[in-house]
Amino acid sequence: MSAEIIYGNVLAKEMREEMKQEVDQLRSVGKRIPCLAVILAGNNPASLSYIKGKEKACQQIGIDSCMFHLDENCSQSDLEKKIRECNEDENIDGILVQLPLPEGLNEDRALKCIDPKKDVDGLHPENVGKLFLNKKGFVPCTPKGVIELLKRAGCDFDGRRAVVIGRSKLVGSPVARLLQNENATVTICHSHTKDVRSISKEADIVVVAVGKPKLIDASYIKKGAYVIDVGVNRLPDGHLCGDCDFDSVKEIAGYVTPVPKGVGPMTITMLLKNTMEAYFSKGER
Ligand code: NAP
């Protein structure tokens, strides 16, 4: 048996096309266009490339984006002042502070400054709390993309056993909570977990977000399971690979995401989705 491959790039393209049509519709009736503000402090090369990708994605669906590039040596109060200006600007719907911040800047304080109604990265404590209370709020983009991929692949969560390998605040923990909110029975594994293999082998749904190339092979997977590989690792030969050994896992799983073309393209798509939701929740319709 070979698993069905869940191509995130295909789903992301479909979703972006749907959003583009919504934006075209707004434009055709002369409405204001949604706008995402991205605040970058410093010149981290990976961050510069990520924000370019975000700007390009906004252009693709026809929404506005504004980039605020602060100096590497900017102060905490410079950063918070810029965030507050964006909070107050009625033409801005979503605000994203690109992480990590340069040394000396306090991430928690910066995130707390964002208006929770514009917090399209879902990292403000109010939105984190809402996720954990199963109340409506902004959900971080990668975890939201994971659930969307599973749903569109026809996964029925109710009463299913799910295992999340990794418990980071950006990926593993919110994914686990979202799965629980969908009524799955969830176990979280981390670096102190004994015998991850036997726990994972019991699961109908396995989400892997560890950051270790090809850590998970077929011996960790139950026949027919849904496997979502969030990991992105650069191999010595320059190729990208996930946390799963794809060729091995696909022989036993029912459904599996590849790397690249799996979870990655969904992350920015969910940022666009959250920005659209922020716009419409302001009553712009
Ligand atoms: P992270 O913050 O480094 O967290 C890694 C987690 O894995 C930790 O909870 C750690 O446990 C756990 N872990 C480490 N070794 C383990 C092992 N041998 N067995 C079980 N658990 C283990 O990483 P992250 O930010 O969650 O990212 C994880 C991966 O996803 C990375 O490859 C990253 O590049 C990728 N990623 C992709 C996207 C995307 O859009 N595709 C977005 C975000 C991240 P402890 O808590 O005990 O240390």
Side-chain angles (χ1 to χ4, degrees):
M1 177 181 125
S2 194
E4 194 169 306
I5 317 251
I6 310 174
Y7 283 106
N9 60 334
V10 174
L11 176 54
K13 193 164 172 239
E14 271 172 39
M15 293 182 75
R16 289 183 197 194
E17 191 47 49
E18 285 162 21
M19 287 187 270
K20 185 178 181 307
Q21 281 172 18
E22 276 185 289
V23 178
D24 287 347
Q25 170 67 18
L26 292 171
R27 194 166 268 119
S28 72
V29 293
K31 293 261 191 184
R32 183 177 74 77
I33 298 303
C35 177
L36 171 70
V38 179
I39 302 172
L40 171 70
N43 297 306
N44 177 321
S47 295
L48 281 163
S49 133
Y50 291 147
I51 62 165
K52 271 201 193 110
K54 286 164 189 171
E55 270 184 313
K56 199 173 143 205
C58 289
Q59 280 165 14
Q60 245 180 26
I61 68 160
I63 68 173
D64 294 331
S65 63
C66 37
M67 235 284 274
F68 299 103
H69 194 166
L70 306 182
D71 194 74
E72 181 85 31
N73 301 315
C74 74
S75 66
Q76 184 77 25
S77 66
D78 292 337
L79 174 61
E80 293 183 11
K81 183 166 170 271
K82 183 47 74 188
I83 296 171
R84 286 204 186 86
E85 282 171 17
C86 293
N87 285 343
E88 277 151 29
D89 187 334
E90 296 212 332
N91 288 320
I92 290 176
D93 302 284
I95 302 169
L96 180 144
V97 175
Q98 185 65 45
L99 301 176
L101 294 172
E103 215 169 308
L105 295 178
N106 184 310
E107 184 180 305
D108 289 342
R109 274 174 47 201
L111 294 174
K112 226 166 147 181
C113 250
I114 301 173
D115 178 347
K117 294 190 190 67
K118 296 188 178 189
D119 170 38
V120 286
D121 237 1
L123 298 176
H124 185 283
E126 184 175 312
N127 284 315
V128 175
K130 282 183 171 169
L131 171 61
F132 277 73
L133 295 170
N134 198 7
K135 298 209 182 305
K136 198 170 160 33
F138 286 112
V139 171
C141 302
T142 301
K144 185 170 167 141
V146 167
I147 299 298
E148 194 65 35
L149 282 171
L150 284 166
K151 281 188 177 165
R152 300 245 183 162
C155 178
D156 174 18
F157 300 91
D158 208 301
R160 297 292 200 96
R161 298 194 66 170
V163 166
V164 181
I165 310 178
R167 59 172 168 182
S168 69
K169 69 174 181 184
L170 290 180
V171 190
S173 293
V175 165
R177 202 64 198 191
L178 285 168
L179 287 165
Q180 185 176 308
N181 293 348
E182 296 287 344
N183 295 324
T185 299
V186 185
T187 305
I188 303 174
C189 298
H190 45 76
S191 67
H192 297 251
T193 304
K194 305 264 183 292
D195 199 4
V196 174
R197 185 183 275 107
S198 68
I199 298 169
S200 172
K201 183 99 188 151
E202 297 281 303
D204 306 300
I205 302 160
V206 182
V207 180
V208 193
V210 172
K212 302 237 160 92
K214 302 189 183 184
L215 177 74
I216 304 300
D217 64 15
S219 68
Y220 286 74
I221 305 298
K222 177 170 147 182
K223 193 163 187 241
Y226 286 83
V227 181
I228 305 290
D229 187 354
V230 183
V232 181
N233 308 288
R234 177 90 45 201
L235 293 171
D237 67 4
H239 285 92
L240 287 183
C241 84
D243 291 344
C244 292
D245 180 342
F246 181 78
D247 289 334
S248 165
V249 167
K250 82 174 184 347
E251 293 308 315
I252 186 157
Y255 302 82
V256 62
T257 55
V259 178
K261 299 186 181 168
V263 174
M266 290 298 285
T267 296
I268 295 186
T269 304
M270 291 301 137
L271 176 67
L272 299 172
K273 187 105 189 123
N274 279 348
T275 305
M276 296 293 284
E277 281 173 22
Y279 172 89
F280 284 121
S281 70
K282 263 166 100 186
E284 296 282 352
R285 208 185 275 271

